[in-house]
Amino acid sequence: MKHLTFILTAAWAVTAAVGAPTLAGTEPPVVGANLVNEPYKQTAAEQEATFRILQAAGVHVIRAGIPGNDQGLAFAQGAYAHGIKIEWLLGVYPDPGTPWPRLPDAYKSKGLWRGWPLSTANADAFKANIGAQLAELESKGVVLAGFELGNEINWTGFNADFPLPAQGRVLNEKDLASDPEGRKIAQGYLRYLQTLAALKDIRDHSMLNRRTPIISGGLADLDDSGKWLRSVKADAVSVDATLHFLQANGLDQLVDGYGLHFYPLAISPGSAQGQAALRAHLELNGLTQCAPPGAAKGKPCWVTEWNFNGLKGLDACPIDDSSRIAMVGEMRSVLHDLADQNRLGGSLYYTWQGQIHAPKEDHDSAFLCGALTESGRLAVAPNIADLMAGNLISDTHSEAIKQRPCDIYAAGNTPCIAAHSTVRSLYAKYTGALYQVKRASDDAAQDIGLLSDGYANAATQDAFCTNTTCVVTRIYDQSTKHNDLSISSGGRYKGPGPNGSDLGAAADALPVTAGGHQVYGVSISPGMGYRNNRTSDVAVNGKPEGMYMISSGTHFNSGCCFDYGNAEVSGTDTGAAHMDAVNVTEDLSWADCRNEPGLGVQADLENGLFHWNQRSCNPASNVSGGHPFISAWLKNNGQTTFALKWGNAQSGGLNTIYSGALPAGYAPMRQEGAIILGVGGDNSHASAGSFFEGVMTAGFPTDGADNAVQSNIVAVGYGAPTGLAGTLMPGSEISLQATTACCIGDYVRNLNGAVVIAPITPSSAEQDKSDATWIVRRGLADNSCVSFESRNNPGDFLRQQNLALHMQPFDGTASNRVDATFCPQAGKNQKGSSFHLVNDPTRYVRHYYGKVYVASDGDSTNPWSTPVHWSDDVSFIVGPPWSP
Ligand code: AHR
């Protein structure tokens, strides 16, 4: 039993199933997660992000309520459109006129009686309402994974037939027959069975859901000592007594599975003793009642909620996931045995994600700190047979990784000679490190390796960089050529780093999701760049080659040169055809491009970004459209021809920009074989952009291979940072609303680089809304605080300079990091949040006469530190973004 936060209303229900469940129950068990925190109340964009992340994690079934209104219908349709079926959590309908049970005052904070008294359950009302609602869902083609009636009906929490005040009793079968309290509960159980019969009738006469299983409401497990019930002064009926009573009164004729909830206590996770205790807890709470389909007595069990009590390490970011990983392994080992015996219908982890707008995350979530945790990934992994305890990692590894881009190119005889990514392995068999980070606190370096499914283990970075900052110092080449990229040491143009070198990208500036994991991309601001001037087997002097990079369609500028590919080994401009790099930028170099500027994909062949073989603008190279992830492609046979393509890295195929002759003066090519990222051949470093992965091949790849790689990229499920909005969690998109009485319609916004508060309303211009939208990033100078990146000027951050706030590009310097890092705390006027400078806890972000500053309370050195209205002026409501 868990102290759950959701309210079971008459219109609630939950279920889940993968594939087409059969009533005979011979399908493999359904595996999925709860999504019970009113997810249908999220915006359409938030729901879309949630569904996409669920999809990427392989979740095909969620347990959720579906309210009988447009919101509920849209939510169910949206899930179904993403291949996600809902195990519908339904509640009973009460007799007309029944008042919602009012909690005695002493229980107000305890959240009990969140369900109608079952003795008022009215089967006719249920039939009329749910029958109509199911018909509407079916008219939209929605097939469900299951119907689950009621939630934890065996204790005070969700069944108001239990009296309050209570003593913490656990009633047994005899009590249900003879004890006054027990008899009242038994009456309710009988009314519950009548509603179950109505549900069966609805299901049996439905159009699309006749084979959808009915599951009895998940019963609350009781803690083994009874201490918890006594402490909250609530009563319960044991799981076995409840099931025996219901069976004796016809349960098995009405349902296809028994719903059970398991929250065992974490006792020495990972030990034999812990595993034995966990199994004993489950057996005490219903496990022995689970039977194969068709058994004389009993039904397969649906564990419609499971998680653990007493786990530590999950309340702060980064989490310590080790105990939960061990417990998930133990739990899934028991479930695996049950499945082997054909006694398991489904397993639905509690929970996928708490309220996404809640100020604090629900530590039971699979998705925590902006990412799917490893324990969460294992808890919801679809194939239970692959997840037996003891070989969780190795068994999933082979399943998850099949083919990666460099396997595809190798099969086409154009093998990779360079493969760089901070996100994922680019070969199925690559097991080495992806990149290296260095932290500011002690200059120590750390390699970031892979999770079992070939995605970056970003948690290693988070742990290593806690309370300090890290930059990416090296991106390893995954090919056998060891063409690693390091921070560029400079060239014709010196960088702002030591001895004219460039700067490294902040390691946590670009959190995104890929493969269902939170990982980091490389966010390049002017002054940053990577290079290798001493490579092996990169094309030189007219040899053929191909390359692609995954970049961003929203984070770019027009500075020279956001390149990935082949460049001069000297870091200087040695003339036409000495470079062959794919370039993503707003190219203003050709006069006719300046009429309609926008992001484009070009070939940097030196002394020219070529859109085709002319020194002019090719409209086809324009890829503006705001795709957050794009793939940019260049291949060159080195003698006569080259081709440029681009794709949306989240969906669809490739678009050809140009395929034909090389420009005059560039045939044959004279490549030199250095590799660059984020700079030009001569180390021009004025560009901004994002990099997630890129490869270079030996030989001119076929279009078929490129297309297969594009599909492989799309399958990654590159996603927006977290899909979060309105919270201070990294990746969340937000608005910051003033709370001073004068200005409650005002929001913090960028106004041509200055930062002000100004009114924004739903009818404001898109540009204004976008200027008032910010993306929360981990603090650039201290990752326990936050930084705010501009929504419409990616790479620009809120920062203080001379105590006034500005929006400026992140330049990677230590002072810029500090000036752009703010530490949140509760609003000084009890509303929203206040943010102090990371290096000065007395100075808070404050608005004053329309402009935004940092101010201390009553410091007389400047007018904006006046104590008048100080606590109101420094308090801001973190709300949903104006421009998601
Ligand atoms: O070709 C465009 C740029 O021009 C190259 O990257 C750089 O080397 C030169 O400045």
Side-chain angles (χ1 to χ4, degrees):
M1 178 194 302
K2 194 81 174 176
H3 185 83
L4 298 181
T5 49
F6 60 81
I7 296 172
L8 188 69
T9 66
W12 274 52
V14 177
T15 324
V18 169
T22 66
L23 294 183
T26 50
E27 289 293 315
V30 162
V31 180
N34 279 261
L35 199 66
V36 289
N37 292 290
E38 300 182 317
Y40 38 80
K41 289 192 175 164
Q42 296 176 6
T43 64
E46 288 166 346
Q47 286 182 32
E48 171 68 22
T50 302
F51 293 145
R52 286 191 40 207
I53 299 171
L54 282 162
Q55 226 179 350
V59 176
H60 301 294
V61 174
I62 53 173
R63 180 180 189 242
I66 310 175
N69 54 24
D70 289 350
Q71 263 185 346
L73 190 61
F75 170 73
Q77 272 187 277
Y80 198 64
H82 285 77
I84 299 167
K85 289 183 177 176
I86 296 178
E87 196 243 14
W88 187 4
L89 180 56
L90 291 151
V92 300
Y93 279 72
D95 289 330
T98 307
W100 179 255
R102 242 193 108 256
L103 271 180
D105 285 348
Y107 285 84
K108 286 252 158 78
S109 61
K110 297 191 177 158
L112 301 170
W113 275 1
R114 281 169 293 185
W116 296 105
L118 287 186
S119 55
T120 68
N122 183 311
D124 292 338
F126 179 91
K127 197 164 170 186
N129 283 281
I130 296 302
Q133 198 184 339
L134 183 62
E136 186 154 23
L137 287 168
E138 292 196 328
S139 74
K140 305 287 180 201
V142 173
V143 178
L144 299 157
F147 300 97
E148 182 181 348
L149 179 64
N151 181 65
E152 302 202 348
I153 59 173
N154 62 318
W155 77 292
T156 317
F158 293 90
N159 179 355
D161 279 336
F162 284 87
L164 281 177
Q167 300 98 53
R169 295 175 64 194
V170 178
L171 284 75
N172 59 28
E173 264 177 275
K174 250 175 55 207
D175 295 325
L176 289 173
S178 52
D179 177 271
E181 180 179 332
R183 282 211 303 272
K184 170 90 177 159
I185 292 158
Q187 264 175 27
Y189 282 176
L190 292 176
R191 295 282 293 253
Y192 170 80
L193 287 166
Q194 289 172 11
T195 297
L196 264 182
L199 174 59
K200 184 168 184 320
D201 192 54
I202 295 169
R203 189 273 311 268
D204 290 349
H205 293 93
S206 68
M207 266 182 346
L208 305 177
N209 283 285
R210 289 186 195 184
R211 304 185 72 76
T212 300
I214 295 176
I215 297 128
S216 54
L219 297 177
D221 57 340
L222 308 179
D223 76 310
D224 307 345
S225 65
K227 218 161 106 191
W228 191 81
L229 280 176
R230 286 196 295 278
S231 72
V232 285
K233 296 198 169 42
D235 289 352
V237 180
S238 75
V239 173
D240 281 351
T242 299
L243 281 174
H244 285 151
F245 179 90
L246 294 172
Q247 285 161 345
N249 289 282
L251 179 71
D252 287 2
Q253 283 72 59
L254 301 175
V255 300
D256 306 293
Y258 297 155
L260 298 176
H261 291 178
F262 290 143
Y263 289 92
L265 188 63
I267 301 170
S268 321
S271 70
Q273 181 212 2
Q275 174 82 50
L278 179 140
R279 197 174 279 266
H281 174 83
L282 271 43
E283 282 173 357
L284 265 178
N285 284 287
L287 198 72
T288 57
Q289 308 253 5
C290 313
K297 191 167 174 221
K299 291 285 170 185
C301 288
W302 283 62
V303 183
T304 54
E305 286 183 20
W306 63 274
N307 203 313
F308 311 102
N309 276 311
L311 276 177
K312 298 200 170 56
L314 298 167
D315 283 318
C317 299
I319 60 163
D320 172 1
D321 204 20
S322 50
S323 297
R324 195 161 75 173
I325 290 172
M327 293 292 290
V328 166
E330 289 168 10
M331 185 75 183
R332 288 202 66 160
S333 164
V334 177
L335 296 178
H336 177 263
D337 289 351
L338 211 59
D340 256 3
Q341 296 153 9
N342 217 7
R343 294 163 60 212
L344 183 71
S347 150
L348 295 159
Y349 182 72
Y350 187 88
T351 183
W352 175 255
Q353 193 173 21
Q355 283 279 4
I356 69 164
H357 295 147
K360 196 167 171 354
E361 289 181 298
D362 179 344
H363 86 179
D364 285 337
S365 297
F367 197 90
L368 272 177
C369 301
L372 181 58
T373 56
E374 182 64 0
S375 58
R377 190 183 70 75
L378 296 168
V380 302
N383 190 350
I384 213 160
D386 281 343
L387 291 169
M388 295 175 66
N391 52 10
L392 287 166
I393 301 303
S394 55
D395 280 359
T396 50
H397 184 77
S398 54
E399 254 311 289
I401 304 177
K402 296 221 163 70
Q403 230 189 2
R404 293 282 161 99
C406 288
D407 304 310
I408 296 168
Y409 282 131
N413 284 328
T414 52
C416 296
I417 46 77
H420 301 109
S421 177
T422 54
V423 169
R424 62 168 181 154
S425 61
L426 298 168
Y427 293 86
K429 294 218 167 94
Y430 184 71
T431 53
L434 290 183
Y435 61 105
Q436 182 194 62
V437 297
K438 199 172 188 185
R439 66 182 172 206
S441 52
D442 60 0
D443 264 357
Q446 169 74 46
D447 280 350
I448 308 301
L450 291 164
L451 295 169
S452 55
D453 59 357
Y455 284 87
N457 188 348
T460 314
Q461 177 184 314
D462 293 340
F464 181 72
C465 304
T466 305
N467 296 330
T468 179
T469 58
C470 285
V471 294
V472 175
T473 39
R474 187 171 286 227
I475 306 171
Y476 291 107
D477 173 18
Q478 301 174 29
S479 84
T480 52
K481 309 297 177 189
H482 302 296
N483 291 323
D484 303 344
L485 290 170
S486 308
I487 297 172
S488 169
S489 57
R492 160 75 180 81
Y493 294 99
K494 304 286 175 215
N499 304 319
S501 65
D502 293 345
L503 294 168
D508 59 353
L510 190 56
V512 296
T513 55
H517 302 282
Q518 193 249 291
V519 294
Y520 295 103
V522 182
S523 179
I524 300 277
S525 293
M528 301 174 185
Y530 294 84
R531 189 170 197 122
N532 183 339
N533 287 336
R534 293 160 66 97
T535 61
S536 301
D537 292 340
V538 178
V540 292
N541 290 326
K543 289 234 174 76
E545 64 182 341
M547 67 204 72
Y548 78 84
M549 73 165 146
I550 308 294
S551 180
S552 160
T554 54
H555 177 205
F556 61 88
N557 68 2
S558 57
C560 177
C561 284
F562 195 74
D563 288 349
Y564 174 70
N566 198 327
E568 293 96 336
V569 293
S570 58
T572 58
D573 177 349
T574 50
H578 284 249
M579 285 183 68
D580 185 31
V582 65
N583 170 274
V584 174
T585 201
E586 182 178 33
D587 180 16
L588 304 178
S589 56
W590 312 123
D592 53 344
C593 278
R594 290 180 212 136
N595 306 331
E596 270 183 78
L599 183 66
V601 170
Q602 296 79 216
D604 187 348
L605 304 180
E606 190 51 282
N607 295 325
L609 301 180
F610 287 92
H611 306 191
W612 49 11
N613 63 347
Q614 307 296 311
R615 287 187 169 273
S616 61
C617 198
N618 172 5
S621 88
N622 190 308
V623 303
S624 49
H627 302 292
F629 300 89
I630 58 168
S631 58
W633 309 68
L634 167 65
K635 53 188 174 183
N636 192 329
N637 78 358
Q639 298 298 316
T640 53
T641 56
F642 78 114
L644 281 165
K645 296 187 264 193
W646 77 277
N648 176 348
Q650 294 180 305
S651 69
L654 293 177
N655 310 290
T656 298
I657 295 167
Y658 174 73
S659 178
L662 280 162
Y666 288 80
M669 294 291 295
R670 297 188 183 85
Q671 311 100 304
E672 296 188 20
I675 304 178
I676 51 173
L677 168 61
V679 286
D682 56 6
N683 199 48
S684 298
H685 48 70
S687 58
S690 301
F691 176 86
F692 302 98
E693 63 179 73
V695 313
M696 297 173 68
T697 63
F700 191 85
T702 62
D703 284 340
D706 291 344
N707 293 339
V709 171
Q710 166 71 6
S711 303
N712 187 278
I713 291 165
V714 170
V716 166
Y718 272 104
T722 55
L724 292 173
T727 78
L728 284 174
M729 280 179 250
S732 183
E733 295 181 5
I734 61 162
S735 57
L736 290 168
Q737 182 185 7
T739 60
T740 315
C742 60
C743 315
I744 48 174
D746 288 357
Y747 292 80
V748 176
R749 63 162 293 179
N750 150 47
L751 194 66
N752 304 321
V755 180
V756 300
I757 56 163
I760 306 282
T761 67
S763 51
S764 295
E766 284 312 314
Q767 175 72 31
D768 295 332
K769 288 185 186 171
S770 192
D771 278 332
T773 299
W774 305 94
I775 304 171
V776 179
R777 300 291 186 207
R778 288 207 172 94
L780 291 166
D782 176 343
N783 53 24
S784 63
C785 299
V786 295
S787 294
F788 299 103
E789 186 178 5
S790 158
R791 171 71 179 76
N792 60 347
N793 292 282
D796 284 5
F797 284 77
L798 284 183
R799 68 165 295 190
Q800 75 88 16
Q801 205 169 31
N802 300 326
L803 303 183
L805 275 203
H806 303 271
M807 197 194 71
Q808 286 178 4
F810 171 52
D811 67 12
T813 59
S815 59
N816 184 301
R817 286 173 184 280
V818 168
D819 291 343
T821 301
F822 306 93
C823 302
Q825 57 180 228
K828 291 286 182 190
N829 67 354
Q830 317 302 327
K831 293 178 194 152
S833 304
S834 294
F835 304 90
H836 70 71
L837 280 179
V838 66
N839 60 344
D840 186 346
T842 68
R843 288 190 202 278
Y844 286 78
V845 174
R846 174 191 192 163
H847 64 89
Y848 180 73
Y849 284 98
K851 285 192 68 181
V852 187
Y853 300 87
V854 284
S856 50
D857 187 3
D859 161 6
S860 58
T861 55
N862 53 59
W864 56 87
S865 288
T866 169
V868 181
H869 297 312
W870 188 85
S871 55
D872 286 337
D873 291 351
V874 298
S875 301
F876 297 89
I877 290 169
V878 177
W882 279 109
S883 177

